[in-house]
Amino acid sequence: MTAPVLELNDLSRVFARRDGWLDRMLNRAGLGKPPERLVAVDGVSLSLRDGEMLGVVGESGCGKSTLGRMAAQLLPASGGEVRFRGRAISDLPRSEARDARRNIQMVFQNPYASLNPSLSVGDAIMEAPLTHGLVRRREIPDRLASLLSKVGLSPEMADRFPHELSGGQRQRVGIARALAVSPEVIIFDEAVAALDVSVQAQILNLLADLKEQGGFSSIFISHDLNVVRFISDRIAILYLGRLVELADRDTVFARPHHPYTRALLSEVPVLGAARRRFTPLKGELPSPLSPPPGCHFHPRCPFAQEICRRESPRLREVQEAGGTTHLSACHFDLPQPSPEAGPTPPPHPKEDSHDT
Ligand code: SF4
């Protein structure tokens, strides 16, 4: 069986607050406190299939961008591994690791900040292919024209500079720059979040067209479930650094299992069967510096029981007809509410949880 193009295995990232001079003095005197640790990503495992677009959703601060940066090798992991085509990138010889990194590109939220203001559009797009020896100088004009056309820009744009472009044009340049090295994976990190709604729609349509044309798999990171719905094949939901639900898009919208996913859905305008009375999110996202014990979601969960405050639920398979893989990290099997019904108390805890 062919290995997934990208696998994130038990990936974690912990940030430790750096001590200031006062902390260092207190530490030396034995009066210091242990350094604060922020667990941004906590043991997330995901795999990306060939040609698919995997949506990763969660509130700001849930660790989704950190996860994307680790996947793109822009940030080292504190634990776990990233595998490209079945091989851990950290174990690859230098030249193969470089090739793997070239194959995983990232498009960022702020296209202006991610473009060098002193480079023309053409230079910005062709810089990486030249560095990697993927194109000869005499091939540049044709290659550039082809990339610009692919993202809906005219060849004349090649001589412009970032400050001369609109937000949507800059994001198109960012996408062309990622495509320029013919990557197998592109990670879009809140790639439309900074754009006006009408421009958002244009960029989403562009991404849908590029996906249709094939040639790469992608992870689409967003705080907006509605945006992710438009473009993703499967959806992963993160909460305070943990993966809490994973299923194909239609399953997430038709039969969401985790109360957090249901709360997110309560804020999304949806049609038909999915328009049910889910309980909206209450309260603020707890600080990742001191996440609640047990199930991190329990202070905001309308179904929380005593066990939720003590035990962290493991990701387990939810029964779905037709062999669809649906994973959820909740102790309970919660019935889907009818359009009229309010929240239903949970039945008995499930015992057959397992890792994936
Ligand atoms: Fe809510 Fe408990 Fe399920 Fe967590 S484990 S989502 S607190 S019911």
Side-chain angles (χ1 to χ4, degrees), residues 258-259 295 297-298 301 303-304 308 313 330-332:
H258 198 279
C295 174
F297 189 56
H298 82 251
C301 181
F303 306 104
C308 308
C330 176
H331 290 304
F332 306 108

mmCIF file of all heavy atoms in Angstrom, residues 258-259 295 297-298 301 303-304 308 313 330-332, ligand 1:
data_model
loop_
_atom_site.group_PDB
_atom_site.id
_atom_site.type_symbol
_atom_site.label_atom_id
_atom_site.label_comp_id
_atom_site.label_asym_id
_atom_site.label_seq_id
_atom_site.Cartn_x
_atom_site.Cartn_y
_atom_site.Cartn_z
ATOM 1 N N HIS A 258 -18.374 15.473 18.305
ATOM 2 C CA HIS A 258 -17.805 16.150 19.478
ATOM 3 C C HIS A 258 -18.590 17.428 19.800
ATOM 4 O O HIS A 258 -18.922 18.210 18.898
ATOM 5 C CB HIS A 258 -16.337 16.492 19.201
ATOM 6 C CG HIS A 258 -15.562 16.780 20.432
ATOM 7 N ND1 HIS A 258 -15.596 18.008 21.059
ATOM 8 C CD2 HIS A 258 -14.747 15.995 21.179
ATOM 9 C CE1 HIS A 258 -14.818 17.973 22.131
ATOM 10 N NE2 HIS A 258 -14.285 16.754 22.224
ATOM 11 N N PRO A 259 -18.883 17.676 21.080
ATOM 12 C CA PRO A 259 -19.625 18.892 21.437
ATOM 13 C C PRO A 259 -18.950 20.177 20.968
ATOM 14 O O PRO A 259 -19.632 21.167 20.688
ATOM 15 C CB PRO A 259 -19.680 18.837 22.975
ATOM 16 C CG PRO A 259 -19.606 17.386 23.286
ATOM 17 C CD PRO A 259 -18.695 16.784 22.253
ATOM 18 N N CYS A 295 -10.676 16.439 30.105
ATOM 19 C CA CYS A 295 -11.040 16.942 28.784
ATOM 20 C C CYS A 295 -10.891 18.462 28.812
ATOM 21 O O CYS A 295 -11.561 19.134 29.601
ATOM 22 C CB CYS A 295 -12.478 16.552 28.446
ATOM 23 S SG CYS A 295 -13.044 17.274 26.900
ATOM 24 N N PHE A 297 -12.067 20.605 27.113
ATOM 25 C CA PHE A 297 -13.283 21.331 26.741
ATOM 26 C C PHE A 297 -14.308 21.376 27.874
ATOM 27 O O PHE A 297 -15.322 22.055 27.769
ATOM 28 C CB PHE A 297 -13.884 20.663 25.487
ATOM 29 C CG PHE A 297 -15.019 21.437 24.863
ATOM 30 C CD1 PHE A 297 -14.853 22.758 24.466
ATOM 31 C CD2 PHE A 297 -16.253 20.847 24.659
ATOM 32 C CE1 PHE A 297 -15.884 23.482 23.889
ATOM 33 C CE2 PHE A 297 -17.308 21.550 24.076
ATOM 34 C CZ PHE A 297 -17.122 22.878 23.690
ATOM 35 N N HIS A 298 -14.042 20.674 28.994
ATOM 36 C CA HIS A 298 -15.126 20.478 29.963
ATOM 37 C C HIS A 298 -15.712 21.775 30.560
ATOM 38 O O HIS A 298 -16.922 21.840 30.788
ATOM 39 C CB HIS A 298 -14.727 19.466 31.065
ATOM 40 C CG HIS A 298 -13.911 20.023 32.190
ATOM 41 N ND1 HIS A 298 -12.573 19.735 32.363
ATOM 42 C CD2 HIS A 298 -14.251 20.842 33.219
ATOM 43 C CE1 HIS A 298 -12.133 20.354 33.442
ATOM 44 N NE2 HIS A 298 -13.119 21.032 33.979
ATOM 45 N N CYS A 301 -18.379 22.747 28.095
ATOM 46 C CA CYS A 301 -19.184 21.683 27.474
ATOM 47 C C CYS A 301 -20.517 21.504 28.205
ATOM 48 O O CYS A 301 -20.532 21.300 29.430
ATOM 49 C CB CYS A 301 -18.407 20.369 27.496
ATOM 50 S SG CYS A 301 -19.318 19.024 26.721
ATOM 51 N N PHE A 303 -22.345 18.990 28.206
ATOM 52 C CA PHE A 303 -22.540 17.579 28.559
ATOM 53 C C PHE A 303 -21.530 17.080 29.591
ATOM 54 O O PHE A 303 -21.484 15.897 29.889
ATOM 55 C CB PHE A 303 -22.423 16.702 27.303
ATOM 56 C CG PHE A 303 -23.346 17.140 26.197
ATOM 57 C CD1 PHE A 303 -22.854 17.825 25.104
ATOM 58 C CD2 PHE A 303 -24.704 16.875 26.265
ATOM 59 C CE1 PHE A 303 -23.699 18.244 24.092
ATOM 60 C CE2 PHE A 303 -25.553 17.294 25.259
ATOM 61 C CZ PHE A 303 -25.055 17.983 24.161
ATOM 62 N N ALA A 304 -20.681 17.979 30.111
ATOM 63 C CA ALA A 304 -19.581 17.541 30.975
ATOM 64 C C ALA A 304 -20.087 16.781 32.199
ATOM 65 O O ALA A 304 -21.094 17.170 32.814
ATOM 66 C CB ALA A 304 -18.757 18.749 31.406
ATOM 67 N N CYS A 308 -15.167 13.755 32.980
ATOM 68 C CA CYS A 308 -14.553 14.704 32.041
ATOM 69 C C CYS A 308 -13.545 15.606 32.739
ATOM 70 O O CYS A 308 -12.599 16.079 32.121
ATOM 71 C CB CYS A 308 -15.622 15.564 31.380
ATOM 72 S SG CYS A 308 -16.955 14.623 30.634
ATOM 73 N N PRO A 313 -10.243 12.308 27.372
ATOM 74 C CA PRO A 313 -10.787 11.295 26.463
ATOM 75 C C PRO A 313 -9.818 11.011 25.320
ATOM 76 O O PRO A 313 -9.167 11.925 24.818
ATOM 77 C CB PRO A 313 -12.069 11.952 25.922
ATOM 78 C CG PRO A 313 -11.859 13.410 26.101
ATOM 79 C CD PRO A 313 -10.921 13.605 27.242
ATOM 80 N N CYS A 330 -14.247 12.136 22.782
ATOM 81 C CA CYS A 330 -15.259 12.438 23.794
ATOM 82 C C CYS A 330 -15.579 11.133 24.514
ATOM 83 O O CYS A 330 -15.607 10.076 23.886
ATOM 84 C CB CYS A 330 -16.512 13.017 23.131
ATOM 85 S SG CYS A 330 -17.854 13.326 24.298
ATOM 86 N N HIS A 331 -15.809 11.198 25.834
ATOM 87 C CA HIS A 331 -16.118 9.985 26.596
ATOM 88 C C HIS A 331 -17.463 9.386 26.197
ATOM 89 O O HIS A 331 -17.735 8.228 26.484
ATOM 90 C CB HIS A 331 -16.178 10.303 28.094
ATOM 91 C CG HIS A 331 -14.841 10.616 28.693
ATOM 92 N ND1 HIS A 331 -13.777 9.757 28.624
ATOM 93 C CD2 HIS A 331 -14.403 11.705 29.382
ATOM 94 C CE1 HIS A 331 -12.737 10.281 29.250
ATOM 95 N NE2 HIS A 331 -13.091 11.464 29.714
ATOM 96 N N PHE A 332 -18.326 10.186 25.589
ATOM 97 C CA PHE A 332 -19.717 9.760 25.408
ATOM 98 C C PHE A 332 -20.123 9.667 23.946
ATOM 99 O O PHE A 332 -19.529 10.321 23.084
ATOM 100 C CB PHE A 332 -20.653 10.748 26.110
ATOM 101 C CG PHE A 332 -20.318 10.956 27.555
ATOM 102 C CD1 PHE A 332 -19.749 12.140 27.978
ATOM 103 C CD2 PHE A 332 -20.559 9.956 28.482
ATOM 104 C CE1 PHE A 332 -19.425 12.334 29.310
ATOM 105 C CE2 PHE A 332 -20.236 10.141 29.817
ATOM 106 C CZ PHE A 332 -19.666 11.329 30.235
HETATM 107 FE FE1 SF4 B 1 -17.827 17.252 26.851
HETATM 108 FE FE2 SF4 B 1 -17.004 15.316 28.475
HETATM 109 FE FE3 SF4 B 1 -17.130 14.879 25.858
HETATM 110 FE FE4 SF4 B 1 -15.270 16.512 26.890
HETATM 111 S S1 SF4 B 1 -15.457 14.305 27.227
HETATM 112 S S2 SF4 B 1 -16.489 16.888 25.103
HETATM 113 S S3 SF4 B 1 -16.397 17.488 28.527
HETATM 114 S S4 SF4 B 1 -18.863 15.282 27.235
#
